Amino acid sequence: MKLGLGTWGALAALSAAVMAAPAQAQEYPYRDITTVVVWGAGGGTDSINRMIMAEMEKELPVNITVTNTTGGVAGSNGMTYVLNQPADGYTLAGISESNVTAAVQGGWDKKFDVWHPFIVGGSPDLISVTADSEYESLEALIEAAKNEPGSITAAASGAGSIHHLNLLALENGTGAKFKFVPYGGSGPAQEAAVAGEVDVIVTSLAEQQGLIKGGQLKPLAMLVPEKGDLDGTEIPSAFDSYSDLSKYLPLKQAIGFAVLADAPDDAKKVLEEAFAKAMQSEKVKEWAASNYYDLSGLAGAEASAQFAKLESNFAWTLKELDSAAVDPAELGIPKP
């Protein structure tokens, strides 16, 4: 029996509909996910994202690729890139607490509520010098930086990062003045310190610990009220010698990732479930302990509330330190 053109057309339409139905019914995720870390390779945000994505990948039917897009102000280049991708849950941003200052520093005009965040954890900051530095104590370093303002160079990741804020707070709490040299992340900043391009480095204990153990950096003080313990070696707290630091410090890390807030609810739910399972894995717990990280595990609304507090605290701290390009009030960021 011959079929007419009309019959062939109907069959073709039916076939197309049958083929399209499974695609339309596919549940998230049905293709690979990309996480764009907005800080440099080798830093804390990069390391944590590569670790947690590897664990989350075990809970998902797809692969997760981690890449780096750095630059801009407070990670604004990477965040802008992700913001310009479809809000479908397939492009995540590897972020940290330092990104909350992008708006107040003029990097972009968005508040942090454009994200639906996940917090893995964080590590306290410390100040260290190059291995061959003449400075054996924080007091000696501060005295030199006060006597010759700007003569001592200091790296602290990018402008507006938590490490930069810690450096600014240290200056204001001690009266010292360093020459700040920004880098595209903690990794490049630490490499610069090891190479002798800068005299001082402010990053986290988790990020510096390998270099300290290897004798490439010399720790002077923790920038939190508590002393540090690195395999039995005590690192004094800067608060012991400079009580005025309590006006500005401590500032806490919150490292993790985010999906766009406009992403579908089912995508957020799937990511939250995979994240929760990954955070309970022994590998994550062992990794955090061996790398000097405190785990958080906050996601969604709880993580958003935490980042809102950080945004308020950091933005107004920058304004108080006279380092804000944009008044946080103009951005609708409330005072802490």
Side-chain angles (χ1 to χ4, degrees), residues 27 41 44 60 88 105 110 128 161 165 185 195 228 272 276 296 316 331:
E27 296 181 353
L60 299 170
D88 54 11
Q105 289 194 99
K110 309 294 182 186
S128 298
S161 68
L165 286 177
E272 287 180 5
S296 168
W316 286 94
L331 296 164

Side-chain angles (χ1 to χ4, degrees), residues 15-323:
S15 176
V18 170
M19 293 177 65
Q24 292 172 354
Q26 284 178 312
E27 296 181 353
Y28 174 91
Y30 57 84
R31 58 184 173 84
D32 290 350
I33 296 169
T34 298
T35 298
V36 180
V37 178
V38 306
W39 299 108
T45 306
D46 181 69
S47 299
I48 277 189
N49 270 277
R50 292 183 187 278
M51 180 275 299
I52 197 66
M53 293 302 156
E55 288 302 297
M56 288 178 60
E57 195 176 61
K58 298 175 182 178
E59 308 297 332
L60 299 170
V62 298
N63 297 320
I64 305 178
T65 301
V66 180
T67 64
N68 301 80
T69 298
T70 64
V73 177
S76 59
N77 280 3
M79 291 195 294
T80 298
Y81 173 81
V82 177
L83 190 66
N84 288 331
Q85 303 308 304
D88 54 11
Y90 288 96
T91 307
L92 312 179
I95 58 169
S96 72
E97 74 298 316
S98 298
N99 299 121
V100 301
T101 66
V104 77
Q105 289 194 99
W108 69 348
D109 59 355
K110 309 294 182 186
K111 286 182 61 179
F112 212 74
D113 57 9
V114 298
W115 303 112
H116 181 87
F118 301 73
I119 303 174
V120 179
S123 182
D125 267 15
L126 74 161
I127 180 168
S128 298
V129 292
T130 53
D132 60 353
S133 174
E134 63 183 284
Y135 306 110
E136 298 293 333
S137 68
L138 177 63
E139 293 80 7
L141 176 68
I142 294 300
E143 191 64 25
K146 290 169 71 174
N147 290 338
E148 295 184 57
S151 63
I152 299 175
T153 54
S157 189
S161 68
I162 189 172
H163 312 308
H164 183 213
L165 286 177
N166 271 307
L167 178 65
L168 289 172
L170 181 67
E171 290 180 328
N172 280 267
T174 64
K177 183 62 180 177
F178 298 96
K179 181 181 179 181
F180 171 57
V181 182
Y183 287 86
S186 296
Q190 292 179 166
E191 290 172 7
V194 170
E197 294 176 14
V198 293
D199 306 304
V200 173
I201 180 71
V202 175
T203 49
S204 73
L205 180 60
E207 293 165 319
Q208 287 191 36
Q209 51 99 9
L211 298 173
I212 294 172
K213 292 176 183 177
Q216 295 172 289
L217 291 176
K218 182 167 51 179
L220 296 185
M222 301 299 301
L223 298 180
V224 291
E226 301 79 23
K227 293 179 173 63
D229 182 357
L230 190 61
D231 287 356
T233 299
E234 184 179 281
I235 304 173
S237 168
F239 285 64
D240 294 343
S241 300
Y242 302 98
S243 58
D244 283 351
L245 287 175
S246 60
K247 297 178 182 177
Y248 310 103
L249 296 174
L251 298 172
K252 299 291 187 180
Q253 279 191 320
I255 303 175
F257 64 95
V259 65
L260 287 168
D262 292 338
D265 289 340
D266 65 329
K268 295 174 185 174
K269 182 179 179 181
V270 169
L271 290 171
E272 287 180 5
E273 290 174 350
F275 176 66
K277 291 178 181 178
M279 289 296 295
Q280 292 302 314
S281 73
E282 288 302 315
K283 185 170 183 179
V284 170
K285 295 175 183 177
E286 291 171 2
W287 186 93
S290 63
N291 287 280
Y292 302 91
Y293 278 102
D294 297 322
L295 292 175
S296 168
L298 295 181
E302 290 181 317
S304 293
Q306 180 69 15
F307 270 107
K309 292 179 181 178
L310 289 167
E311 182 176 45
S312 175
N313 187 7
F314 284 21
W316 286 94
T317 296
L318 279 174
K319 181 175 173 59
E320 183 177 345
L321 295 173
D322 198 27
S323 296

Side-chain angles (χ1 to χ4, degrees), residues 3-13:
L3 299 176
L5 290 177
T7 304
W8 279 115
L11 288 173

